[in-house]
Amino acid sequence: MNLPDTTDVHPAWLPPEAFRAIGSRRVRVCGDDPLVETVRREVVEACASYGGCLGGEDGGPVDLVLALTTHGPAAGSSFGPEAAECSGTLGAEGFLVARRRGVTLVLADAGAGLLHGLFHLVRLGEGAFGADRPAECHRPAMGRRMLDHWDNVAVHPVMGQVERGYSGGSLFWEDGALRADLTRVRAYGRLLAACGVNAIAVNNVNVHATEALLLTDRLGEVAALAEQVRPYGIRVYLSVNFASPMVLGGLPTADPLDERVRQWWSATTREVYQTIPDFGGYVVKADSEGQPGPFAYQRTHADGANVLAEALAPFGGVVYWRAFVYNHRQDWRDRSTDRARAAFDHFTPLDGQFHDNVILQVKYGPIDFQPREPLSPVIAAMPATRVGMELQVTQEYTGHQLHVCYLAPLWSEVLGFRYWGPDGPAAAALIEGGGLVGVSNAGDDPFWTGHPLAQANLYAFGRLAWAPHLAPGTILDEWIDLTFQPATTGDPDLLRQTLHAMMDSSWQTYERYTAPLGVGFMVRPGHHYGPDVDGYEYTSWGTYHFADRDGVGVDRSQATGTGFTGQYPAFWAQRYESLAECPDEVLLFFHHVPYDHVLRSGTTVIQHIYDTHFTGARQAADLRELWGRIDAAQLVDPRLFARVAERLGEQVRCAEEWRDQVNAYFFRKSGVPDALGRRIY
Ligand code: GCU
């Protein structure tokens, strides 16, 4: 098997030139394992392009050794005590890098680790072959780093081929059939491995009739996808419909405590493993937005998850059970029902009742992937449950990949949030067992992600799942250097500085020109692009801002509101409850305040709304200006330059629309003029 040939597709962060440093060396690869074979193939290909060679294991001179610790005399022992000590402690995916006396060493206990080590060398480039470097061990902070694909097999009449997909069609299916050519799936697996992802769920969490068949009649398609990504250490998962025993098995019930249902899941799962021995497990969206679930049988979500978990356990599989359960048919007149409370209310009473191989998959915020939300209190409230966190890489609420919005700064804040105050653990530590899940933003677009700069979000997701402490700016520079530097013919520093300046704070820019102070939504219902301040205000979805002539925001306090603040540990419960201490950026998520309420920043709420919207829209225009300064020829790929330029035009237009609608709306409600006398319509 050769490396995937995807000539017409943008190479993203693995352009051939990124392998120059490795490919011009004398390399030895030691070990027998399918993933070590992948490493060998990568090295052979790189050497064929850049004049290096893959030597035998016979002791000739080398510049680079990539070895399994299980292979022969500990290669690490000549690299100092640190290297020798690391052997056997690196785990399934960890690796060690060291350099001594002109030889670079990558050591791993298992093939996957060696592959991650190889991609680490790619990131280091020539830096891996300079001065001596002491042994450095790298191990992933989380063992589970998964991308969920909301891909449909058949084109859905409303949601299309990929639900909330902004990158063309699915990489896997087209018009109801598995793609005949899966070369891109292999290339995708390679890109994911190179940023640290090790699992994909291949189909939509909303499992419609055709997609349900993937578990049984169409399992061969899942096996074909697994075959493509297996050489890169990536396992495949499947979203399944909770009612499968009825829909596929012809049973009269899907009651998780019914013996026939149990047997059906067990027999079906056995067949899955007969076909795909390294299958990862199931993802389930149950009792959520119309999907079937255990509530229909008066069973709990622990009953529901456990029946699947029992079926998977003999094979080492897990079930990702989503906590996104809320009433989407509520009456907007009913002020007592608070969607933010729902996951906590449903799931925390079940803490300790889930089997070990259940991962409760919790969206990072209590509502739904808004550009700003407080963290979900569920993550801190279930110590006896394996909890995983879900992020949205696809830009459903952050500009549909038409806007530049680099999301790593948001994710980094989220992962670093300390529920119990500065002395407590960061959220990243609470999800070590369940890991990080991201809804993928990739599709069959030649640039993978619609907006070429949205590739950085996919890359950063993997890097943060591997190492949550990495600074978003550092990850961004890594991505820029890998993606653009090796091939650029212009001034590399200018290119890097420009891209960095455009992207690093683009999430804050997006936040400024959209819904203010954490109140959320205000997007057009259905597709969720562009402004519509009252779009969801009188609907059943439970996402409101309650603006009137006097003020705006949702009272979620315990004193006078829905009591949501009480779901947090004391440190944050107190701060969110207190109008004086609540952080500005989430003030309207927690409180309904008058327009002249003075924020901690010293500005009134209404003036903050005007200021941020004028600033945000201007910053969107600055992005376009910055891009214009790049000499297109430097980028090598003029198509990429044009694609970004075109999308920046739309971002500027849309940001102005947001500015004008939000400002006009609040001016008309409040009657308070802008202190700076700017134009409000
Ligand atoms: C959002 C999104 C849906 C998706 C849902 C989910 O509500 O708009 O398309 O199905 O999240 O996460 O299940």
Side-chain angles (χ1 to χ4, degrees), residues 150 159 163-164 204-206 285 288-289 322 324 326 339 363 368-369 390 392 396-397 439 526 528 541:
W150 288 356
M159 291 299 175
E163 180 154 339
R164 312 303 182 188
N204 194 353
V205 286
N206 296 312
K285 171 175 178 175
S288 168
E289 300 184 331
R322 297 178 87 229
F324 186 56
Y326 70 100
R339 176 168 165 182
K363 290 190 181 186
D368 193 11
F369 298 137
E390 184 173 344
Q392 198 177 38
E396 174 179 1
Y397 296 104
V439 184
H528 299 164
W541 295 92

Side-chain angles (χ1 to χ4, degrees), residues 390-475:
E390 184 173 344
L391 304 173
Q392 198 177 38
V393 188
T394 192
Q395 290 176 236
E396 174 179 1
Y397 296 104
T398 49
H400 284 204
Q401 279 135 251
L402 293 168
H403 296 216
V404 180
C405 188
Y406 176 55
L407 291 165
L410 161 64
W411 300 334
S412 178
E413 262 191 47
V414 162
L415 292 164
F417 181 77
R418 291 174 196 272
Y419 285 94
W420 292 272
D423 300 330
L430 305 179
I431 57 165
E432 270 168 14
L436 205 61
V437 177
V439 184
S440 178
N441 65 350
D444 76 342
D445 168 58
F447 293 104
W448 297 97
T449 51
H451 200 308
L453 304 187
Q455 286 178 8
N457 286 331
L458 194 56
Y459 181 80
F461 170 80
R463 295 292 287 136
L464 282 173
W466 179 284
H469 63 273
L470 286 177
T474 308
I475 299 176

Side-chain angles (χ1 to χ4, degrees), residues 34-374:
L35 268 64
V36 176
E37 273 319 301
T38 304
V39 171
R40 240 178 228 120
R41 248 187 341 265
E42 292 280 348
V43 170
V44 167
E45 185 99 355
C47 289
S49 304
Y50 295 104
C53 63
L54 179 69
E57 294 178 26
D58 49 12
V62 285
D63 310 301
L64 169 62
V65 178
L66 293 133
L68 287 190
T69 52
T70 50
H71 192 84
S77 56
S78 58
F79 282 78
E82 309 96 313
E85 263 169 38
C86 271
S87 295
T89 70
L90 295 164
E93 296 185 297
F95 60 89
L96 168 151
V97 194
R99 181 160 173 86
R100 219 180 213 203
R101 291 188 294 271
V103 179
T104 299
L105 171 75
V106 179
L107 211 55
D109 291 337
L114 207 63
L115 186 63
H116 289 300
L118 173 81
F119 287 126
H120 187 69
L121 286 192
V122 172
R123 281 193 289 274
L124 293 174
E126 278 302 326
F129 300 96
D132 278 7
R133 48 166 67 224
E136 247 175 47
C137 291
H138 296 258
R139 298 179 188 86
M142 302 174 212
R144 300 182 172 277
R145 307 176 302 277
M146 175 154 98
L147 284 167
D148 278 4
H149 283 261
W150 288 356
D151 295 22
N152 297 315
V153 171
V155 177
H156 185 270
V158 180
M159 291 299 175
Q161 184 78 66
V162 180
E163 180 154 339
R164 312 303 182 188
Y166 313 105
S167 307
S170 163
L171 288 164
F172 312 140
W173 289 282
E174 189 176 32
D175 289 340
L178 187 71
R179 286 182 176 277
D181 180 0
L182 294 179
T183 317
R184 271 198 83 171
V185 178
R186 188 139 38 96
Y188 182 56
R190 182 169 178 256
L191 284 172
L192 296 189
C195 66
V197 170
N198 65 2
I200 53 174
V202 293
N203 62 315
N204 194 353
V205 286
N206 296 312
V207 187
H208 312 292
T210 313
E211 289 72 27
L213 291 168
L214 291 169
L215 180 59
T216 51
D217 306 36
R218 300 183 71 150
L219 185 61
E221 298 175 24
V222 184
L225 295 172
E227 196 181 314
Q228 295 302 321
V229 296
R230 186 173 293 120
Y232 295 100
I234 291 169
R235 282 186 184 219
V236 160
Y237 290 69
L238 196 59
S239 295
V240 296
N241 187 315
F242 186 77
S244 295
M246 299 164 79
V247 181
L248 303 171
L251 293 180
T253 177
D255 181 349
L257 299 193
D258 187 297
E259 193 47 36
R260 292 163 299 175
V261 170
R262 232 171 242 278
Q263 278 173 14
W264 188 87
W265 279 114
S266 159
T268 305
T269 304
R270 198 174 319 119
E271 280 178 34
V272 171
Y273 278 90
Q274 269 159 15
T275 314
I276 312 169
D278 60 351
F279 180 71
Y282 300 138
V283 178
V284 186
K285 171 175 178 175
D287 290 319
S288 168
E289 300 184 331
Q291 293 294 304
F295 285 163
Y297 310 97
Q298 289 78 50
R299 306 299 184 200
T300 70
H301 274 245
D303 294 331
N306 288 345
V307 69
L308 276 76
E310 274 164 30
L312 289 157
F315 311 100
V318 300
V319 53
Y320 283 85
W321 191 267
R322 297 178 87 229
F324 186 56
V325 177
Y326 70 100
N327 177 9
H328 71 290
R329 299 226 168 88
Q330 76 183 64
D331 186 339
W332 61 268
R333 300 166 194 84
D334 164 19
R335 297 287 289 252
S336 66
T337 305
D338 179 6
R339 176 168 165 182
R341 294 188 56 113
F344 187 101
D345 288 342
H346 283 304
F347 285 94
T348 56
L350 304 176
D351 190 29
Q353 295 179 29
F354 291 96
H355 288 345
D356 274 359
N357 60 332
V358 175
I359 293 170
L360 190 65
Q361 180 172 321
V362 185
K363 290 190 181 186
Y364 86 85
I367 303 267
D368 193 11
F369 298 137
Q370 296 306 291
R372 173 76 72 173
E373 289 186 46

